[in-house]
């Protein structure tokens, strides 16, 4: 089955700095790669996603890049703010089969 | 729209007891799924459904049953609870997986003693 590895497990940055989280996947059939933000005690919420036919997507301070050949994708957050502090999860979906595999999460702390 | 709702929010079971976690959505979504989230880990797919009457197993299906008799509801049954099933359970739904956002319910925190 699919295996998703996410790094780093914890990340601490100063307010205004950039943060990068990386994920690798193993199954070349995976075709949809969302990123979720989860605050303590809350449900995961989608922040950005990318499909396998796209190499990069940007939404204001957040961007995601996908390298299908190397089977890795990354989340980039620029100009970080304290409210960006949360756990971030990457996931790889094989949508034709309804399957999804999540990474173990990255705890991002933005220091004011 | 209420979105995705789950009941109960909290539950404590004794080993061997059975129960059903309820999930409902009012967005006419075809795809629904159940995940469990253990401390310090990501979500793991238990079961999913691509439409009423159709269900399939995810990564960790053992000890759980599902059914999908209507588009709106997707209950998860624990057949004989074990301490290893202590976790937070999330239900999620999407109009079309990969084409539209997957929305999560608020979660059910289950403890099995």
């Amino acid at each position: 089955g699919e295996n998703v590895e996410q790094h780093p497990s914890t990340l601490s940055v100063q307010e205004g700095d950039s943060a990068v989280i990386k994920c690798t996947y193993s199954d070349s059939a995976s075709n949809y790669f969302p990123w979720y933000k989860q605050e303590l005690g809350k449900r995961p919420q989608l922040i950005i996603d990318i499909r396998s036919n796209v190499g990069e997507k940007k939404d204001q301070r957040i961007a995601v890049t996908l390298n299908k050949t190397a089977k890795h994708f990354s989340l980039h957050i620029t100009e970080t703010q304290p409210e960006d502090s949360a756990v971030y999860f990457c996931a790889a979906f094989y949508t034709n089969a309804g399957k999804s595999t999540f990474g173990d999460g990255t705890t991002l702390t933005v220091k004011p | 729209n209420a979105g995705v709702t789950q009941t109960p929010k909290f539950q404590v079971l004794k080993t061997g007891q059975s129960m059903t976690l309820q999930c409902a959505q009012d967005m006419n979504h075809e795809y629904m799924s159940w995940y469990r989230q253990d401390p310090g880990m990501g979500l793991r797919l238990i079961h999913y459904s691509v439409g009423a009457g159709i269900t399939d197993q995810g990564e960790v299906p053992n000890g759980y049953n599902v059914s999908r008799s209507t588009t709106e509801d997707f209950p998860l049954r624990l057949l004989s609870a074990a301490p290893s099933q202590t976790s937070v359970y999330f239900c999620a739904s999407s109009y079309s997986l990969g084409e539209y956002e997957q929305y999560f319910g608020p979660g059910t925190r289950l403890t099995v003693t």
Side-chain angles (χ1 to χ4, degrees):
Chain A
E2 175 66 279
N3 181 50
V4 175
E5 294 190 359
Q6 182 172 346
H7 299 282
S9 57
T10 61
L11 180 59
S12 181
V13 299
Q14 288 295 133
E15 183 177 359
D17 286 351
S18 295
V20 180
I21 303 170
K22 299 182 179 182
C23 288
T24 60
Y25 64 99
S26 60
D27 190 347
S28 57
S30 292
N31 58 350
Y32 173 64
F33 307 92
W35 286 88
Y36 294 91
K37 177 183 180 182
Q38 187 177 31
E39 296 174 345
L40 191 62
K42 300 287 182 67
R43 73 192 80 185
Q45 291 196 302
L46 180 72
I47 55 170
I48 197 166
D49 57 11
I50 192 166
R51 292 169 182 81
S52 58
N53 59 349
V54 176
E56 184 174 358
K57 183 177 178 180
K58 192 172 181 181
D59 183 4
Q60 299 183 338
R61 297 186 297 110
I62 296 173
V64 57
T65 58
L66 171 65
N67 183 327
K68 278 198 309 180
T69 302
K71 296 195 186 73
H72 66 71
F73 55 113
S74 301
L75 176 71
H76 305 253
I77 306 174
T78 59
E79 300 171 18
T80 54
Q81 301 165 2
E83 49 266 40
D84 293 330
S85 297
V87 180
Y88 291 80
F89 293 97
C90 65
F93 282 55
Y94 177 31
T95 59
N96 292 355
K99 306 282 189 182
S100 57
T101 304
F102 281 69
D104 285 341
T106 296
T107 301
L108 174 65
T109 303
V110 181
K111 299 177 183 176
Chain B
N1 287 353
V4 182
T5 59
Q6 292 183 238
T7 56
K9 290 184 179 167
F10 302 94
Q11 182 72 48
V12 179
L13 289 179
K14 294 187 187 303
T15 298
Q17 288 184 316
S18 62
M19 78 159 297
T20 300
L21 306 185
Q22 301 291 345
C23 174
Q25 52 87 13
D26 60 358
M27 298 175 281
N28 201 31
H29 285 175
E30 291 295 324
Y31 182 87
M32 297 186 73
S33 56
W34 277 102
Y35 294 91
R36 60 177 289 174
Q37 184 175 33
D38 300 319
M41 295 181 68
L43 287 81
R44 290 185 291 169
L45 183 65
I46 304 171
H47 285 285
Y48 65 95
S49 168
V50 297
I54 306 168
T55 63
D56 206 344
Q57 296 180 352
E59 180 185 354
V60 288
N62 292 343
Y64 308 96
N65 272 356
V66 292
S67 60
R68 184 99 179 266
S69 56
T70 67
T71 299
E72 295 78 18
D73 299 299
F74 191 43
L76 178 73
R77 296 184 192 84
L78 279 71
L79 309 173
S80 177
S84 60
Q85 294 179 304
T86 294
S87 190
V88 179
Y89 291 83
F90 287 100
C91 178
S93 75
S94 172
Y95 185 72
S96 175
L97 192 65
E99 296 294 327
Y100 295 88
E101 180 175 350
Q102 181 168 229
Y103 293 90
F104 284 84
T108 295
R109 186 174 295 274
L110 175 68
T111 302
V112 182
T113 61

